[in-house]
Structures are given as structure tokens and as C-alpha cells.
Amino acid sequence: ASTYIALGMVTGSPSLDGFIYNPTPRTRWLRGLMEITAAASCIALIACAWVLLLRSSVRRKTAELQEEIGLRRTRERELSESEGRFRNIVENSPMGIHLYHLEPDGRLIFDGANPAADIVFGADHRQFIGREIIEAFPDLRDTEVPERYRMAARDGESWDTEQVSYEDRQIKGAFEVHAFQTAPGMMAALFLDLTERTMRAEAITTS
């Protein structure tokens, strides 16, 4: 300040305000900048941690999904192989076989038969596919057969009987029947033709 007075740049008794360095404003600015930097660093760390956790979760879920897909494909392949073996047995069985499925309303629908069934019953079973059991085989209406078949399909309760006599316009005979569940809501009935045996027994009885 004395230098400014000697040079005539300042007159009187000047105040020293403005001539003394005041570091306060710059210190506050630096402190604010440091606080902002620290906050940004914390946010960046949290974001990085969240990304890492998200990636880990995605990897885990992806691995679980791949495992589930693999298990499902294995089950589907095993089921397909099992169905193939069952169809092979049905198609090549010497016994006549009828296949049904149970509708939610309790109707038992004829799904098909094997080639031996055409021989055993003397009828082409393709005409019965998609029909309700009583519609396909009306002579069963007043027998226990439809309910036994329903119990097999619905409850898995097998049923065997030594002789079921049947007669309509196309089919006539006496049959040994074995009914069982093939899958939930589905069943099969195996038939052995006893017509000739029954006729021989009746002939012996009447002779």
C-alpha cells in the first residue's frame, strides 16, 4: 500500500482491504469441487456394482434356463421314444387293442385300434375314430364296460374280465378284456377272442 502512496496512485489513508490476499473464495470452490467429485465417484462405484450384480444375475438365469431347456428336451425325447415303443407294441400285438381318451365332460372317445382288432372283431375300426364309446359300440350301453374304461382312464384303475359278450350289426363274439391306463386321461383295452372256445364249451354242454 505504501508503494501505491509513494507513486501518488493513492492519496490519504487508504484501507488495506483489497491489498491483502483472501484465500476463502478459492478454498470454498475447491471444497465444492472435491465434494462433487467424491459424489460422482460414489455414484460411479454404485453403478459399477449394480452392473456387475446384473451381469451375474443374467448369467445365473441364463444357465438355469439352459438347464431347464436341456431337461425338457430330454424328457420330450424320452417320451417320444416311449410312445414309439408303445405304438410298436400296439401295432404288432396279436391281441386286438382299442385306444380311448376321456373328455372333461366324461365322454370316452375312441382314438383307434391296431390291425389285430380288425381281425378279432371282423370290422374296420377306422369308422369308429372320434366317436363316443356308446355311439361306436351301442351294445355296451347297458354294461359295466364304459364305466370301467372311464375309471381306468381317469383313476388308473385296471380292469380284467374273463368274458364280455357283444353283438351288433357288424360285430359278434365273446372276448376276454384287459383294460388299463396308458397316460392320465387315456386308456387301452386288450381283447382276446373267446368265441370259438365259448362255442365249443356250449356244444359240449348241450351234447
Side-chain angles (χ1 to χ4, degrees), residues 169-207:
R169 290 177 299 177
Q170 299 185 66
I171 302 172
K172 179 180 180 180
F175 308 95
E176 181 180 333
V177 182
H178 304 276
F180 57 93
Q181 186 185 64
T182 56
M186 304 177 71
M187 59 83 58
L190 278 64
F191 300 89
L192 182 63
D193 189 356
L194 303 179
T195 304
E196 292 185 5
R197 185 192 306 176
T198 301
M199 292 176 63
R200 288 197 301 268
E202 291 177 351
I204 292 174
T205 301
T206 56
S207 61

Side-chain angles (χ1 to χ4, degrees), residues 9-46:
M9 297 175 64
V10 178
T11 59
S13 299
S15 173
L16 294 179
D17 291 343
F19 290 96
I20 300 176
Y21 171 69
N22 186 0
T24 303
R26 180 174 294 181
T27 303
R28 289 178 179 175
W29 179 82
L30 288 174
R31 185 181 296 114
L33 180 61
M34 292 175 63
E35 290 176 354
I36 293 173
T37 303
S41 299
C42 290
I43 293 173
L45 288 173
I46 293 172

Side-chain angles (χ1 to χ4, degrees), residues 57-75:
S57 178
V58 169
R59 291 195 190 99
R60 185 175 64 255
K61 292 296 183 181
T62 301
E64 292 175 355
L65 181 60
Q66 290 175 341
E67 183 179 1
E68 182 179 349
I69 292 173
L71 291 174
R72 185 175 300 176
R73 287 177 177 173
T74 299
R75 287 194 295 267

